[in-house]
Amino acid sequence: MPSAVATPRRAGSSGIRRGEGLAGWIFTAPVIIILGVFLFIPVLMALWVSFSDWNGRGSPFSSRVGFVGLENYAAVTTGGGLTERNFGIALRNNAWYVVLVVPLQTALSLFLAVLINRAVIRGRGFFRTAYYFPSMTSSVAITILWLFLFNATGVVNEVLSWVGIDGPNWFHDPRGIIHAALGLGPLAGPDWMVQNTFLGVSWWEWWSGPSFAMTAFVLMGVFTTSGTFMLLFVAALQNIGSELGEAGMMDGATAWQRFWYITLPQLRPTIFTVVTLGLIGCWQVFDQIYTGTQGGPAKTTLTPAYLSYQAAFENQKWGQGAAIAFILFVIIIVFTLFQRWVLRERPVSKRRIRQYQVKGSTS
Amino acid sequence: MTVTPVAVADAAALATPVEPPARRRRRFTIRSVGGQVALYLVLVVFAIIYIYPFLVQVATSFKTDAEATADPMSLIPTVWSFAAYRLLFNRSDFPLWFANSAIVTIFVTLGRVFFVSLAGYALARLHFRGRGVIFALIIAVMGVPTVVLLIPKFLVLNQIGIYDSYAGMILPLLVDAAGVFIMRNFFESIPVSVEEQARIDGAGSFRLFWSVVLPMARPALMTIIILSFQGSWNELNHFIVSTQSPALTTLTKGVASLASGQLSQGNQFPIKLAAAAIMTIPVAVMFFVFQRRIMNTSEGAVKG
């Protein structure tokens, strides 16, 4: 590689910067090639497959493979058959996962960060390590641990029994938790909700809550991500000056008021980051399902990511699998763009300035 | 951070919001002690919740099957049994899985550190046409979610002819857009003046990178090493779609197959938890040795 540097390619540059053009390209070439070959081109190939009837044999570009237009997408979203229903169920399961995990992990990681930030004497490093450790470990290992903890006679149910709760058979109980909390029978629910469907799944099924199995995965999601996000909040808290808090204290604001009106508004960018990273991550549930439940019981832990894998690699419906992956892609892109839009660079808004002025004078 | 008694009492109010904050000012010394106790109590309770599962995992791996089911909570087995470990090491492919994971992790980590810092340096320091476009593309690529790449990756590996080989396992993981981003940001923070003298002395770009700038980048390199070690050791879905032969099974893939009952019937938790525990050790060691450095740059560590 050093020889490349000596080649005076870009003679236009001033003497001392000679050869930088070529060096720049050579330095970035490995990254460009690998990302291009294993990321960019594959996405285009899969896009083609999602519009084709390729059955997994031979090359997807051979002349025997036909273009079927939006057929695969239609089968998944409006087909009316089992394919549509499976996709609806997967979306439903994952939506509950997102709705529960994102607020819980954000609140818990903020709570832990605030606590750690106050723990000033000793042990701060220890607690930070303890809370962050699950984030570092493999999702496969944690899933196995979870299957053990949430076993019918496992640790979690034993702890629940101390307070008189008869714990469910977590990974084998397909009932939605809202459904179960209402004490309803297997198919019960208001008629108008049972009879109307969306994506092949009845309204009642959409509303009956995540199954106990999915709830265990929700808790696992919170357990494994709160540490990482806690670190983001700790970093943000340390960047916040103490002046405003002290001013608030002089004005007699209570601790809670100071947190709510002074600290929290300053954490807003970090909260947005955590929420959107959470949203993006939560739509990608795969490892846990592959390792733990394969979508069971009664498909209540099926997720779009796992369904896409299953359709392609197990059922050889490559077009449908690719179509599901692209729908998922769109869902995630929408959240990513939302994040970019929220966090775009802009001058301090007038509203924000006003907020602080109001707080300073009234409380 | 400066500590005032009031700030500590304030922490107490946060830790136990139900407590009315009245009369705090007058009795702040007593309160601050009580507040500190309450704060640490909450911290300890959470620490137990986060650590206990791992302790019980190790403990259970030394229990007999019967005891694991009958008494799942205890941290000390009544009868120490090494059956799970004997079975894993003597009568299963576990050692092979471990070796495969180690091979892949070593190559991926070395490759990433080199390629990612090279690209990061070029994007931060070298002036060349197209730099902005390349950087924008790398940023865009960071947003592509890995699970939608399952089918695409399989297609391309198959097409190139490296499906089911070490090359197929290692090559796609060799670079990482987030790593390029971290390195670029780091190199931008180094003053240009350090390179000027060497440049005047006639050092070329690679020499500048290798002998002048790279040695200064140790904190950032550490971050990349830790992240790629942890990332490739824990990687599952890439190996699912890039291999099928048992000889190339990694720990994640192998242990996942244990979970679904291969090698053991029924619950047999000791053997599964033993496998999970061994799998956690290298990352744990890495983590405890380098944790200070991870803490400083946590932004790239976000798990999907």
Side-chain angles (χ1 to χ4, degrees):
Chain A
M1 233 167 262
S3 66
V5 174
T7 329
R9 258 299 170 83
R10 284 199 58 192
S13 318
S14 57
I16 207 162
R17 295 216 170 268
R18 240 167 14 147
E20 270 194 27
L22 186 64
W25 280 100
I26 291 175
F27 281 22
T28 47
V31 171
I32 296 170
I33 293 170
I34 292 177
L35 289 180
V37 172
F38 295 108
L39 215 130
F40 189 66
I41 295 175
V43 168
L44 294 182
M45 281 175 79
L47 194 60
W48 158 248
V49 167
S50 76
F51 291 113
S52 80
D53 60 2
W54 187 54
N55 61 4
R57 255 170 261 134
S59 162
F61 301 112
S62 79
S63 56
R64 280 174 295 121
V65 176
F67 177 78
V68 297
L70 290 170
E71 209 173 88
N72 291 317
Y73 290 89
V76 171
T77 53
T78 55
L82 189 62
T83 314
E84 185 199 346
R85 186 171 152 74
N86 281 345
F87 184 65
I89 290 175
L91 270 188
R92 177 202 90 110
N93 297 338
N94 212 334
W96 276 111
Y97 184 84
V98 171
V99 163
L100 291 174
V101 172
V102 173
L104 284 175
Q105 74 187 8
T106 309
L108 180 62
S109 53
L110 177 58
F111 179 70
L112 293 177
V114 169
L115 286 190
I116 279 191
N117 213 35
R118 309 284 169 149
V120 276
I121 297 176
R122 62 182 62 226
R124 198 173 181 167
F126 166 77
F127 291 115
R128 221 158 47 159
T129 307
Y131 304 151
Y132 184 56
F133 186 66
S135 306
M136 289 288 286
T137 51
S138 135
S139 47
V140 173
I142 301 240
T143 306
I144 289 190
L145 182 54
W146 232 243
L147 292 174
F148 173 69
L149 297 177
F150 285 78
N151 182 23
T153 56
V155 174
V156 172
N157 279 357
E158 193 157 326
V159 172
L160 287 177
S161 73
W162 295 348
V163 287
I165 297 174
D166 195 10
N169 191 352
W170 293 89
F171 283 105
H172 297 278
D173 194 335
R175 288 177 302 159
I177 53 168
I178 294 177
H179 185 107
L182 295 172
L184 297 170
L187 288 166
D191 273 351
W192 61 276
M193 284 184 92
V194 173
Q195 274 147 20
N196 291 302
T197 62
F198 175 63
L199 285 174
V201 178
S202 80
W203 290 8
W204 180 245
E205 285 175 275
W206 281 93
W207 282 106
S208 61
S211 67
F212 284 99
M214 200 46 151
T215 308
F217 282 134
V218 165
L219 295 173
M220 180 175 145
V222 175
F223 180 70
T224 53
T225 51
S226 46
T228 309
F229 291 139
M230 173 200 73
L231 293 185
L232 295 186
F233 279 125
V234 168
L237 283 170
Q238 284 171 351
N239 284 335
I240 292 179
S242 54
E243 295 83 6
L244 277 175
E246 277 159 16
M249 219 179 308
M250 299 310 279
D251 292 337
T254 63
W256 180 250
Q257 282 172 332
R258 269 177 284 138
F259 175 74
W260 193 255
Y261 294 112
I262 298 172
T263 310
L264 210 56
Q266 295 184 82
L267 286 177
R268 219 164 49 171
T270 317
I271 293 172
F272 274 122
T273 307
V274 167
V275 167
T276 34
L277 285 176
L279 284 170
I280 293 167
C282 283
W283 278 108
Q284 303 194 50
V285 187
F286 176 84
D287 292 12
Q288 303 89 303
I289 313 298
Y290 177 89
T291 308
T293 55
Q294 281 93 40
K299 295 182 183 171
T300 57
T301 58
L302 209 57
T303 63
Y306 187 75
L307 188 66
S308 158
Y309 163 81
Q310 211 178 29
F313 290 88
E314 285 173 16
N315 303 331
Q316 305 299 313
K317 290 182 176 164
W318 292 84
Q320 280 177 13
I324 294 169
F326 277 103
I327 296 172
L328 187 57
F329 195 13
V330 169
I331 293 175
I332 294 169
I333 290 288
V334 166
F335 284 121
T336 312
L337 291 178
F338 176 72
Q339 181 200 18
R340 296 266 157 86
W341 177 76
V342 168
L343 296 177
R344 71 194 184 280
E345 299 234 339
R346 61 194 152 184
V348 179
S349 71
K350 282 190 185 138
R351 195 161 64 95
R352 209 154 177 213
I353 294 171
R354 200 165 59 230
Q355 216 174 16
Y356 292 131
Q357 285 167 342
V358 171
K359 291 300 159 302
S361 56
T362 53
S363 59
Chain B
M1 199 173 140
T2 51
V3 189
T4 60
V6 188
V8 176
D10 171 6
L14 262 175
T16 52
V18 273
E19 204 179 3
R23 294 205 298 157
R24 184 187 326 120
R25 261 152 213 276
R26 214 181 300 163
R27 294 171 40 197
F28 65 79
T29 28
I30 301 163
R31 274 220 167 250
S32 70
V33 174
Q36 199 70 336
V37 169
L39 171 67
Y40 278 94
L41 207 65
V42 177
L43 283 169
V44 166
V45 168
F46 272 97
I48 291 171
I49 296 174
Y50 278 82
I51 293 173
Y52 176 78
F54 295 101
L55 298 180
V56 94
Q57 167 180 331
V58 173
T60 308
S61 72
F62 290 108
K63 290 178 185 171
T64 60
D65 283 1
E67 196 192 343
T69 318
D71 187 10
M73 288 202 73
S74 73
L75 292 180
I76 296 162
T78 42
V79 182
W80 288 78
S81 158
F82 297 88
Y85 290 93
R86 266 201 301 273
L87 183 61
L88 275 183
F89 281 101
N90 297 336
R91 303 205 356 242
S92 81
D93 287 337
F94 191 83
L96 172 75
W97 301 342
F98 196 96
N100 281 334
S101 278
I103 291 168
V104 170
T105 301
I106 287 168
F107 278 103
V108 168
T109 305
L110 291 177
R112 266 201 211 175
V113 169
F114 183 67
F115 292 135
V116 153
S117 50
L118 205 56
Y121 176 71
L123 292 173
R125 278 292 200 270
L126 302 180
H127 299 267
F128 61 103
R129 196 169 298 169
R131 183 173 84 161
V133 178
I134 293 175
F135 186 61
L137 284 176
I138 286 173
I139 295 292
V141 154
M142 275 170 67
V144 177
T146 52
V147 291
V148 307
L149 288 170
L150 291 176
I151 298 171
K153 266 192 199 160
F154 168 78
L155 292 174
V156 89
L157 291 171
N158 222 3
Q159 206 69 9
I160 309 176
I162 54 171
Y163 175 71
D164 210 21
S165 71
Y166 280 115
M169 295 164 82
I170 294 167
L171 278 178
L173 297 179
L174 271 187
V175 308
D176 155 60
V180 176
F181 186 72
I182 292 174
M183 288 313 290
R184 175 191 171 269
N185 282 358
F186 184 86
F187 285 129
E188 290 222 308
S189 72
I190 297 180
V192 190
S193 54
V194 294
E195 293 156 78
E196 270 164 6
Q197 187 56 48
R199 208 180 264 285
I200 288 163
D201 291 346
S205 296
F206 187 76
R207 209 179 155 69
L208 269 178
F209 162 74
W210 187 255
S211 357
V212 180
V213 191
L214 204 57
M216 297 175 68
R218 216 181 300 146
L221 291 178
M222 272 300 154
T223 309
I224 304 289
I225 290 174
I226 292 161
L227 291 181
S228 21
F229 183 91
Q230 180 235 3
S232 47
W233 184 265
N234 291 343
E235 178 67 51
L236 170 69
N237 55 48
H238 174 62
F239 300 138
I240 292 174
V241 300
S242 63
T243 61
Q244 66 181 159
S245 54
L248 293 176
T249 301
T250 57
L251 263 184
T252 44
K253 225 178 126 181
V255 175
S257 74
L258 275 187
S260 55
Q262 197 206 65
L263 196 76
S264 61
Q265 298 96 36
N267 284 340
Q268 298 210 335
F269 280 117
I271 187 167
K272 295 174 187 171
L273 291 173
I278 297 174
M279 183 175 181
T280 311
I281 289 172
V283 173
V285 168
M286 195 80 178
F287 177 68
F288 287 116
V289 173
F290 297 112
Q291 55 154 317
R292 288 260 156 66
R293 279 141 179 161
I294 310 170
M295 300 310 181
N296 293 337
T297 41
S298 55
E299 305 232 339
V302 172
K303 206 174 180 178

